[in-house]
Short mmCIF file of all heavy atoms in Angstrom, two decimals:
data_model
loop_
_atom_site.label_atom_id
_atom_site.label_comp_id
_atom_site.label_asym_id
_atom_site.label_seq_id
_atom_site.Cartn_x
_atom_site.Cartn_y
_atom_site.Cartn_z
N MET D 1 0.83 -1.21 0.00
CA MET D 1 0.00 0.00 0.00
C MET D 1 0.86 1.26 0.00
O MET D 1 0.56 2.20 -0.71
CB MET D 1 -0.94 -0.04 1.21
CG MET D 1 -1.92 1.09 1.26
SD MET D 1 -3.10 0.98 -0.11
CE MET D 1 -4.14 2.33 0.24
N MET D 2 1.93 1.26 0.78
CA MET D 2 2.82 2.42 0.82
C MET D 2 3.47 2.65 -0.53
O MET D 2 3.63 3.79 -0.95
CB MET D 2 3.89 2.26 1.91
CG MET D 2 3.37 2.51 3.31
SD MET D 2 2.78 4.20 3.50
CE MET D 2 4.30 5.00 3.95
N ASP D 3 3.84 1.58 -1.22
CA ASP D 3 4.48 1.74 -2.52
C ASP D 3 3.52 2.39 -3.51
O ASP D 3 3.92 3.25 -4.28
CB ASP D 3 4.95 0.38 -3.06
CG ASP D 3 6.17 -0.14 -2.33
OD1 ASP D 3 6.90 0.69 -1.72
OD2 ASP D 3 6.41 -1.35 -2.37
N ARG D 4 2.28 1.96 -3.46
CA ARG D 4 1.29 2.53 -4.37
C ARG D 4 1.03 4.00 -4.03
O ARG D 4 0.95 4.85 -4.92
CB ARG D 4 0.00 1.73 -4.29
CG ARG D 4 -1.02 2.18 -5.29
CD ARG D 4 -2.19 1.26 -5.34
NE ARG D 4 -3.13 1.72 -6.36
CZ ARG D 4 -4.31 1.25 -6.52
NH1 ARG D 4 -4.75 0.27 -5.75
NH2 ARG D 4 -5.10 1.71 -7.46
N THR D 5 0.91 4.33 -2.77
CA THR D 5 0.71 5.71 -2.33
C THR D 5 1.91 6.57 -2.73
O THR D 5 1.74 7.69 -3.24
CB THR D 5 0.51 5.78 -0.80
OG1 THR D 5 -0.63 4.98 -0.46
CG2 THR D 5 0.30 7.19 -0.33
N HIS D 6 3.08 6.03 -2.52
CA HIS D 6 4.30 6.75 -2.90
C HIS D 6 4.34 6.99 -4.41
O HIS D 6 4.68 8.09 -4.86
CB HIS D 6 5.53 5.95 -2.45
CG HIS D 6 6.82 6.58 -2.85
ND1 HIS D 6 7.31 7.70 -2.22
CD2 HIS D 6 7.71 6.25 -3.81
CE1 HIS D 6 8.44 8.05 -2.79
NE2 HIS D 6 8.72 7.18 -3.75
N GLU D 7 3.98 6.00 -5.19
CA GLU D 7 3.98 6.11 -6.65
C GLU D 7 2.94 7.14 -7.11
O GLU D 7 3.21 7.95 -8.00
CB GLU D 7 3.70 4.75 -7.30
CG GLU D 7 3.70 4.76 -8.81
CD GLU D 7 5.04 5.08 -9.44
OE1 GLU D 7 6.07 5.05 -8.74
OE2 GLU D 7 5.05 5.36 -10.65
N MET D 8 1.76 7.13 -6.48
CA MET D 8 0.73 8.11 -6.84
C MET D 8 1.21 9.53 -6.53
O MET D 8 1.00 10.44 -7.33
CB MET D 8 -0.57 7.80 -6.10
CG MET D 8 -1.31 6.59 -6.65
SD MET D 8 -2.82 6.20 -5.74
CE MET D 8 -3.77 7.68 -6.01
N ARG D 9 1.84 9.69 -5.39
CA ARG D 9 2.34 11.03 -5.01
C ARG D 9 3.43 11.47 -5.99
O ARG D 9 3.46 12.63 -6.41
CB ARG D 9 2.90 10.98 -3.58
CG ARG D 9 3.43 12.30 -3.10
CD ARG D 9 2.32 13.34 -3.01
NE ARG D 9 2.87 14.62 -2.62
CZ ARG D 9 2.50 15.78 -3.13
NH1 ARG D 9 1.54 15.83 -4.01
NH2 ARG D 9 3.07 16.88 -2.75
N ARG D 10 4.29 10.57 -6.39
CA ARG D 10 5.36 10.88 -7.33
C ARG D 10 4.76 11.31 -8.68
O ARG D 10 5.19 12.30 -9.28
CB ARG D 10 6.27 9.67 -7.51
CG ARG D 10 7.53 9.94 -8.33
CD ARG D 10 8.38 8.70 -8.48
NE ARG D 10 7.77 7.72 -9.37
CZ ARG D 10 7.76 7.80 -10.70
NH1 ARG D 10 8.32 8.82 -11.30
NH2 ARG D 10 7.19 6.87 -11.43
N LEU D 11 3.73 10.60 -9.12
CA LEU D 11 3.07 10.94 -10.37
C LEU D 11 2.34 12.28 -10.27
O LEU D 11 2.32 13.06 -11.23
CB LEU D 11 2.11 9.83 -10.79
CG LEU D 11 2.78 8.52 -11.23
CD1 LEU D 11 1.72 7.45 -11.45
CD2 LEU D 11 3.63 8.72 -12.46
N GLU D 12 1.73 12.56 -9.14
CA GLU D 12 1.08 13.86 -8.94
C GLU D 12 2.09 15.00 -9.03
O GLU D 12 1.81 16.03 -9.64
CB GLU D 12 0.38 13.90 -7.58
CG GLU D 12 -0.90 13.09 -7.53
CD GLU D 12 -1.49 13.04 -6.12
OE1 GLU D 12 -0.85 13.53 -5.16
OE2 GLU D 12 -2.59 12.49 -5.99
N LEU D 13 3.25 14.79 -8.45
CA LEU D 13 4.30 15.81 -8.50
C LEU D 13 4.78 16.02 -9.94
O LEU D 13 5.01 17.15 -10.37
CB LEU D 13 5.48 15.43 -7.60
CG LEU D 13 5.19 15.50 -6.10
CD1 LEU D 13 6.37 14.93 -5.31
CD2 LEU D 13 4.90 16.93 -5.67
N ARG D 14 4.93 14.94 -10.68
CA ARG D 14 5.32 15.05 -12.09
C ARG D 14 4.26 15.78 -12.90
O ARG D 14 4.57 16.60 -13.75
CB ARG D 14 5.58 13.67 -12.68
CG ARG D 14 6.89 13.05 -12.24
CD ARG D 14 7.16 11.71 -12.87
NE ARG D 14 7.22 11.83 -14.33
CZ ARG D 14 7.16 10.78 -15.15
NH1 ARG D 14 7.03 9.56 -14.67
NH2 ARG D 14 7.23 10.95 -16.45
N LEU D 15 2.99 15.47 -12.62
CA LEU D 15 1.89 16.13 -13.31
C LEU D 15 1.89 17.63 -13.01
O LEU D 15 1.76 18.45 -13.92
CB LEU D 15 0.56 15.50 -12.90
CG LEU D 15 -0.70 16.16 -13.48
CD1 LEU D 15 -0.69 16.10 -15.01
CD2 LEU D 15 -1.94 15.49 -12.93
N ASN D 16 2.06 17.97 -11.75
CA ASN D 16 2.10 19.39 -11.36
C ASN D 16 3.26 20.10 -12.04
O ASN D 16 3.11 21.24 -12.51
CB ASN D 16 2.20 19.53 -9.84
CG ASN D 16 0.91 19.17 -9.14
OD1 ASN D 16 -0.15 19.14 -9.76
ND2 ASN D 16 0.99 18.89 -7.86
N ALA D 17 4.41 19.46 -12.11
CA ALA D 17 5.57 20.05 -12.76
C ALA D 17 5.31 20.25 -14.24
O ALA D 17 5.65 21.30 -14.82
CB ALA D 17 6.81 19.19 -12.55
N ALA D 18 4.67 19.28 -14.87
CA ALA D 18 4.35 19.39 -16.30
C ALA D 18 3.35 20.51 -16.54
O ALA D 18 3.48 21.29 -17.50
CB ALA D 18 3.81 18.06 -16.82
N GLN D 19 2.36 20.64 -15.67
CA GLN D 19 1.37 21.71 -15.82
C GLN D 19 2.01 23.08 -15.65
O GLN D 19 1.70 24.02 -16.38
CB GLN D 19 0.23 21.52 -14.81
CG GLN D 19 -0.66 20.34 -15.14
CD GLN D 19 -1.65 20.01 -14.04
OE1 GLN D 19 -1.39 20.24 -12.86
NE2 GLN D 19 -2.78 19.45 -14.43
N THR D 20 2.94 23.18 -14.71
CA THR D 20 3.66 24.44 -14.50
C THR D 20 4.49 24.78 -15.73
O THR D 20 4.52 25.93 -16.17
CB THR D 20 4.57 24.33 -13.26
OG1 THR D 20 3.75 24.08 -12.11
CG2 THR D 20 5.37 25.60 -13.03
N GLU D 21 5.15 23.78 -16.30
CA GLU D 21 5.96 23.99 -17.49
C GLU D 21 5.09 24.44 -18.68
O GLU D 21 5.45 25.35 -19.42
CB GLU D 21 6.71 22.71 -17.85
CG GLU D 21 7.62 22.84 -19.04
CD GLU D 21 8.88 23.65 -18.80
OE1 GLU D 21 9.14 24.04 -17.66
OE2 GLU D 21 9.59 23.90 -19.78
N ILE D 22 3.92 23.84 -18.83
CA ILE D 22 3.01 24.22 -19.91
C ILE D 22 2.56 25.67 -19.73
O ILE D 22 2.53 26.44 -20.70
CB ILE D 22 1.80 23.26 -19.96
CG1 ILE D 22 2.24 21.90 -20.49
CG2 ILE D 22 0.67 23.84 -20.80
CD1 ILE D 22 1.21 20.81 -20.34
N THR D 23 2.23 26.05 -18.52
CA THR D 23 1.82 27.43 -18.24
C THR D 23 2.94 28.40 -18.57
O THR D 23 2.72 29.44 -19.21
CB THR D 23 1.41 27.58 -16.77
OG1 THR D 23 0.32 26.69 -16.50
CG2 THR D 23 0.99 29.00 -16.45
N TYR D 24 4.16 28.05 -18.17
CA TYR D 24 5.32 28.91 -18.46
C TYR D 24 5.53 29.04 -19.96
O TYR D 24 5.74 30.13 -20.48
CB TYR D 24 6.58 28.34 -17.79
CG TYR D 24 7.84 28.99 -18.28
CD1 TYR D 24 8.21 30.25 -17.80
CD2 TYR D 24 8.65 28.39 -19.23
CE1 TYR D 24 9.36 30.88 -18.26
CE2 TYR D 24 9.80 29.01 -19.70
CZ TYR D 24 10.15 30.24 -19.21
OH TYR D 24 11.27 30.86 -19.68
N LEU D 25 5.47 27.92 -20.68
CA LEU D 25 5.70 27.94 -22.13
C LEU D 25 4.61 28.72 -22.85
O LEU D 25 4.88 29.45 -23.81
CB LEU D 25 5.80 26.52 -22.68
CG LEU D 25 7.06 25.75 -22.25
CD1 LEU D 25 6.97 24.31 -22.71
CD2 LEU D 25 8.32 26.41 -22.78
N ALA D 26 3.37 28.59 -22.39
CA ALA D 26 2.27 29.35 -23.01
C ALA D 26 2.48 30.84 -22.81
O ALA D 26 2.26 31.64 -23.73
CB ALA D 26 0.94 28.90 -22.42
N SER D 27 2.92 31.22 -21.63
CA SER D 27 3.20 32.63 -21.35
C SER D 27 4.36 33.14 -22.20
O SER D 27 4.30 34.23 -22.76
CB SER D 27 3.52 32.80 -19.86
OG SER D 27 3.87 34.13 -19.59
N ALA D 28 5.41 32.34 -22.30
CA ALA D 28 6.56 32.72 -23.12
C ALA D 28 6.15 32.83 -24.58
O ALA D 28 6.60 33.74 -25.30
CB ALA D 28 7.69 31.71 -22.94
N ASN D 29 5.30 31.93 -25.04
CA ASN D 29 4.82 31.96 -26.42
C ASN D 29 4.03 33.24 -26.69
O ASN D 29 4.19 33.88 -27.73
CB ASN D 29 3.98 30.72 -26.71
CG ASN D 29 3.60 30.61 -28.16
OD1 ASN D 29 4.42 30.78 -29.04
ND2 ASN D 29 2.33 30.32 -28.41
N LEU D 30 3.19 33.62 -25.75
CA LEU D 30 2.41 34.85 -25.90
C LEU D 30 3.33 36.06 -25.97
O LEU D 30 3.14 36.95 -26.81
CB LEU D 30 1.43 34.99 -24.72
CG LEU D 30 0.52 36.21 -24.74
CD1 LEU D 30 -0.36 36.22 -25.99
CD2 LEU D 30 -0.34 36.23 -23.49
N GLU D 31 4.35 36.09 -25.12
CA GLU D 31 5.30 37.20 -25.14
C GLU D 31 6.06 37.24 -26.47
O GLU D 31 6.27 38.31 -27.04
CB GLU D 31 6.29 37.07 -23.97
CG GLU D 31 7.25 38.22 -23.86
CD GLU D 31 6.60 39.59 -23.69
OE1 GLU D 31 5.53 39.67 -23.06
OE2 GLU D 31 7.17 40.56 -24.20
N MET D 32 6.43 36.09 -26.98
CA MET D 32 7.11 36.04 -28.27
C MET D 32 6.20 36.53 -29.38
O MET D 32 6.65 37.25 -30.29
CB MET D 32 7.61 34.62 -28.56
CG MET D 32 8.81 34.22 -27.71
SD MET D 32 9.36 32.54 -28.03
CE MET D 32 9.98 32.71 -29.68
N ASP D 33 4.93 36.18 -29.33
CA ASP D 33 3.97 36.66 -30.32
C ASP D 33 3.89 38.19 -30.31
O ASP D 33 3.84 38.83 -31.36
CB ASP D 33 2.58 36.07 -30.09
CG ASP D 33 2.47 34.61 -30.49
OD1 ASP D 33 3.37 34.11 -31.20
OD2 ASP D 33 1.47 33.98 -30.11
N LYS D 34 3.90 38.77 -29.11
CA LYS D 34 3.87 40.23 -28.99
C LYS D 34 5.14 40.85 -29.58
O LYS D 34 5.08 41.87 -30.28
CB LYS D 34 3.75 40.64 -27.52
CG LYS D 34 2.39 40.34 -26.91
CD LYS D 34 2.38 40.72 -25.44
CE LYS D 34 1.10 40.33 -24.76
NZ LYS D 34 1.14 40.62 -23.31
N GLN D 35 6.28 40.23 -29.31
CA GLN D 35 7.55 40.74 -29.84
C GLN D 35 7.59 40.62 -31.37
O GLN D 35 8.08 41.53 -32.06
CB GLN D 35 8.73 40.02 -29.20
CG GLN D 35 8.90 40.36 -27.74
CD GLN D 35 10.03 39.60 -27.07
OE1 GLN D 35 10.71 38.81 -27.71
NE2 GLN D 35 10.23 39.84 -25.79
N ILE D 36 7.09 39.52 -31.89
CA ILE D 36 7.05 39.34 -33.35
C ILE D 36 6.16 40.40 -33.98
O ILE D 36 6.50 40.98 -35.02
CB ILE D 36 6.58 37.92 -33.72
CG1 ILE D 36 7.69 36.91 -33.38
CG2 ILE D 36 6.21 37.82 -35.19
CD1 ILE D 36 7.26 35.46 -33.44
N ALA D 37 5.03 40.68 -33.37
CA ALA D 37 4.12 41.71 -33.89
C ALA D 37 4.81 43.08 -33.88
O ALA D 37 4.70 43.84 -34.86
CB ALA D 37 2.83 41.75 -33.07
N ALA D 38 5.53 43.38 -32.82
CA ALA D 38 6.24 44.66 -32.74
C ALA D 38 7.34 44.73 -33.80
O ALA D 38 7.52 45.77 -34.46
CB ALA D 38 6.83 44.86 -31.34
N LEU D 39 8.06 43.64 -33.98
CA LEU D 39 9.11 43.61 -35.01
C LEU D 39 8.51 43.75 -36.41
O LEU D 39 9.08 44.44 -37.27
CB LEU D 39 9.92 42.32 -34.91
CG LEU D 39 10.86 42.23 -33.71
CD1 LEU D 39 11.42 40.81 -33.59
CD2 LEU D 39 11.98 43.24 -33.82
N THR D 40 7.38 43.13 -36.63
CA THR D 40 6.70 43.25 -37.91
C THR D 40 6.32 44.70 -38.18
O THR D 40 6.51 45.22 -39.29
CB THR D 40 5.46 42.34 -37.96
OG1 THR D 40 5.88 40.99 -37.77
CG2 THR D 40 4.72 42.45 -39.28
N ASP D 41 5.80 45.37 -37.16
CA ASP D 41 5.46 46.79 -37.30
C ASP D 41 6.72 47.61 -37.63
O ASP D 41 6.68 48.50 -38.49
CB ASP D 41 4.82 47.34 -36.02
CG ASP D 41 3.42 46.80 -35.78
OD1 ASP D 41 2.82 46.24 -36.73
OD2 ASP D 41 2.93 46.93 -34.64
N ASN D 42 7.82 47.32 -36.95
CA ASN D 42 9.07 48.04 -37.21
C ASN D 42 9.54 47.83 -38.64
O ASN D 42 9.99 48.77 -39.30
CB ASN D 42 10.17 47.59 -36.23
CG ASN D 42 9.93 48.07 -34.82
OD1 ASN D 42 9.13 48.96 -34.58
ND2 ASN D 42 10.61 47.47 -33.86
N VAL D 43 9.46 46.59 -39.12
CA VAL D 43 9.88 46.30 -40.49
C VAL D 43 9.00 47.07 -41.48
O VAL D 43 9.50 47.63 -42.47
CB VAL D 43 9.84 44.77 -40.77
CG1 VAL D 43 9.97 44.48 -42.25
CG2 VAL D 43 10.94 44.07 -39.98
N GLN D 44 7.72 47.12 -41.24
CA GLN D 44 6.81 47.85 -42.13
C GLN D 44 7.15 49.34 -42.16
O GLN D 44 7.16 49.97 -43.21
CB GLN D 44 5.36 47.61 -41.73
CG GLN D 44 4.88 46.21 -42.02
CD GLN D 44 3.50 45.90 -41.46
OE1 GLN D 44 3.00 46.62 -40.60
NE2 GLN D 44 2.89 44.83 -41.94
N GLU D 45 7.44 49.90 -40.98
CA GLU D 45 7.81 51.32 -40.91
C GLU D 45 9.13 51.57 -41.63
O GLU D 45 9.27 52.57 -42.37
CB GLU D 45 7.92 51.76 -39.44
CG GLU D 45 6.59 51.86 -38.73
CD GLU D 45 6.74 52.17 -37.24
OE1 GLU D 45 7.82 52.64 -36.83
OE2 GLU D 45 5.78 51.94 -36.50
N LEU D 46 10.10 50.70 -41.43
CA LEU D 46 11.39 50.85 -42.11
C LEU D 46 11.25 50.70 -43.61
O LEU D 46 11.89 51.44 -44.38
CB LEU D 46 12.40 49.85 -41.56
CG LEU D 46 12.90 50.12 -40.13
CD1 LEU D 46 13.69 48.93 -39.62
CD2 LEU D 46 13.72 51.39 -40.08
N THR D 47 10.41 49.80 -44.05
CA THR D 47 10.17 49.61 -45.48
C THR D 47 9.55 50.86 -46.08
O THR D 47 9.95 51.32 -47.16
CB THR D 47 9.27 48.38 -45.72
OG1 THR D 47 9.93 47.22 -45.20
CG2 THR D 47 8.99 48.17 -47.19
N ALA D 48 8.58 51.44 -45.39
CA ALA D 48 7.95 52.67 -45.87
C ALA D 48 8.98 53.80 -45.94
O ALA D 48 9.01 54.57 -46.91
CB ALA D 48 6.78 53.05 -44.96
N SER D 49 9.84 53.90 -44.93
CA SER D 49 10.88 54.93 -44.93
C SER D 49 11.85 54.72 -46.09
O SER D 49 12.24 55.68 -46.77
CB SER D 49 11.66 54.92 -43.61
OG SER D 49 10.82 55.29 -42.55
N LEU D 50 12.24 53.49 -46.32
CA LEU D 50 13.14 53.18 -47.41
C LEU D 50 12.52 53.55 -48.75
O LEU D 50 13.19 54.13 -49.62
CB LEU D 50 13.51 51.69 -47.38
CG LEU D 50 14.39 51.18 -48.52
CD1 LEU D 50 15.71 51.92 -48.55
CD2 LEU D 50 14.61 49.68 -48.39
N GLN D 51 11.26 53.23 -48.91
CA GLN D 51 10.58 53.57 -50.16
C GLN D 51 10.54 55.08 -50.38
O GLN D 51 10.72 55.57 -51.50
CB GLN D 51 9.17 52.97 -50.18
CG GLN D 51 9.17 51.46 -50.32
CD GLN D 51 7.79 50.84 -50.12
OE1 GLN D 51 6.88 51.48 -49.59
NE2 GLN D 51 7.65 49.58 -50.52
N GLU D 52 10.32 55.82 -49.31
CA GLU D 52 10.30 57.28 -49.41
C GLU D 52 11.69 57.82 -49.79
O GLU D 52 11.80 58.70 -50.65
CB GLU D 52 9.84 57.89 -48.08
CG GLU D 52 9.71 59.40 -48.11
CD GLU D 52 8.71 59.90 -49.14
OE1 GLU D 52 7.70 59.22 -49.41
OE2 GLU D 52 8.96 60.99 -49.69
N VAL D 53 12.72 57.29 -49.20
CA VAL D 53 14.08 57.70 -49.54
C VAL D 53 14.39 57.37 -51.00
O VAL D 53 14.99 58.17 -51.73
CB VAL D 53 15.12 57.05 -48.59
CG1 VAL D 53 16.53 57.25 -49.09
CG2 VAL D 53 14.96 57.63 -47.19
N GLN D 54 13.95 56.20 -51.44
CA GLN D 54 14.17 55.82 -52.83
C GLN D 54 13.46 56.78 -53.79
O GLN D 54 14.02 57.15 -54.83
CB GLN D 54 13.70 54.38 -53.08
CG GLN D 54 14.62 53.35 -52.46
CD GLN D 54 14.08 51.93 -52.54
OE1 GLN D 54 12.86 51.71 -52.54
NE2 GLN D 54 14.99 50.96 -52.60
N LYS D 55 12.25 57.19 -53.44
CA LYS D 55 11.52 58.16 -54.27
C LYS D 55 12.28 59.49 -54.32
O LYS D 55 12.39 60.12 -55.37
CB LYS D 55 10.12 58.39 -53.71
CG LYS D 55 9.16 57.26 -53.96
CD LYS D 55 7.81 57.58 -53.34
CE LYS D 55 6.87 56.40 -53.41
NZ LYS D 55 5.58 56.69 -52.73
N GLN D 56 12.78 59.93 -53.17
CA GLN D 56 13.51 61.19 -53.11
C GLN D 56 14.79 61.11 -53.93
O GLN D 56 15.14 62.06 -54.65
CB GLN D 56 13.82 61.56 -51.66
CG GLN D 56 12.58 61.93 -50.86
CD GLN D 56 12.85 62.12 -49.38
OE1 GLN D 56 13.98 61.99 -48.92
NE2 GLN D 56 11.81 62.43 -48.62
N LEU D 57 15.50 59.99 -53.85
CA LEU D 57 16.71 59.81 -54.64
C LEU D 57 16.39 59.82 -56.14
O LEU D 57 17.13 60.40 -56.93
CB LEU D 57 17.41 58.50 -54.26
CG LEU D 57 18.20 58.50 -52.96
CD1 LEU D 57 18.68 57.10 -52.63
CD2 LEU D 57 19.37 59.46 -53.03
N GLN D 58 15.32 59.17 -56.51
CA GLN D 58 14.90 59.14 -57.92
C GLN D 58 14.58 60.55 -58.40
O GLN D 58 14.94 60.93 -59.51
CB GLN D 58 13.70 58.20 -58.10
CG GLN D 58 13.34 57.97 -59.53
CD GLN D 58 14.46 57.27 -60.32
OE1 GLN D 58 15.19 56.45 -59.79
NE2 GLN D 58 14.59 57.65 -61.58
N ALA D 59 13.90 61.33 -57.56
CA ALA D 59 13.55 62.70 -57.92
C ALA D 59 14.81 63.55 -58.11
O ALA D 59 14.87 64.40 -59.01
CB ALA D 59 12.64 63.32 -56.86
N ILE D 60 15.81 63.32 -57.27
CA ILE D 60 17.07 64.07 -57.39
C ILE D 60 17.78 63.71 -58.69
O ILE D 60 18.34 64.57 -59.36
CB ILE D 60 17.98 63.78 -56.17
CG1 ILE D 60 17.38 64.40 -54.92
CG2 ILE D 60 19.40 64.30 -56.41
CD1 ILE D 60 18.06 64.00 -53.63
N LYS D 61 17.73 62.44 -59.08
CA LYS D 61 18.40 61.98 -60.30
C LYS D 61 17.75 62.54 -61.55
O LYS D 61 18.39 62.71 -62.58
CB LYS D 61 18.40 60.45 -60.36
CG LYS D 61 19.33 59.80 -59.37
CD LYS D 61 19.25 58.28 -59.49
CE LYS D 61 20.14 57.60 -58.47
NZ LYS D 61 20.02 56.13 -58.57
N GLU D 62 16.46 62.82 -61.49
CA GLU D 62 15.73 63.27 -62.69
C GLU D 62 15.89 64.73 -62.96
O GLU D 62 16.37 65.57 -62.48
CB GLU D 62 14.23 62.94 -62.55
CG GLU D 62 13.97 61.47 -62.54
CD GLU D 62 12.52 61.12 -62.27
OE1 GLU D 62 11.72 61.99 -61.93
OE2 GLU D 62 12.17 59.93 -62.40
#
């Protein structure tokens, strides 16, 4: 009986650790999604700036 109780407790601890890890990973994933969105916005802004500079350079050449 003690062996079974001990095994159940060990499995409960493993389950709790796994649940904690899943929660941590989900939170980290959400944070990464936010960072990717911010980087995407930055890339779009830089692309627009580059296009404007290219237009200005073309106008100077003409």
Side-chain angles (χ1 to χ4, degrees):
M1 185 66 177
M2 283 298 273
D3 286 338
R4 186 172 182 190
T5 301
H6 178 74
E7 181 66 14
M8 286 178 62
R9 181 64 183 139
R10 188 181 71 77
L11 291 173
E12 286 174 353
L13 291 173
R14 285 182 60 195
L15 176 60
N16 288 342
Q19 289 171 330
T20 299
E21 183 72 7
I22 288 169
T23 300
Y24 168 79
L25 291 173
S27 176
N29 187 46
L30 181 60
E31 184 59 33
M32 287 179 68
D33 286 346
K34 290 177 185 176
Q35 291 177 0
I36 288 169
L39 288 170
T40 300
D41 290 344
N42 289 344
V43 168
Q44 289 172 344
E45 289 174 18
L46 289 170
T47 300
S49 295
L50 177 59
Q51 289 171 344
E52 184 60 33
V53 168
Q54 287 172 331
K55 286 179 188 176
Q56 292 172 1
L57 283 173
Q58 188 63 33
I60 291 170
K61 289 179 182 178
E62 294 174 352

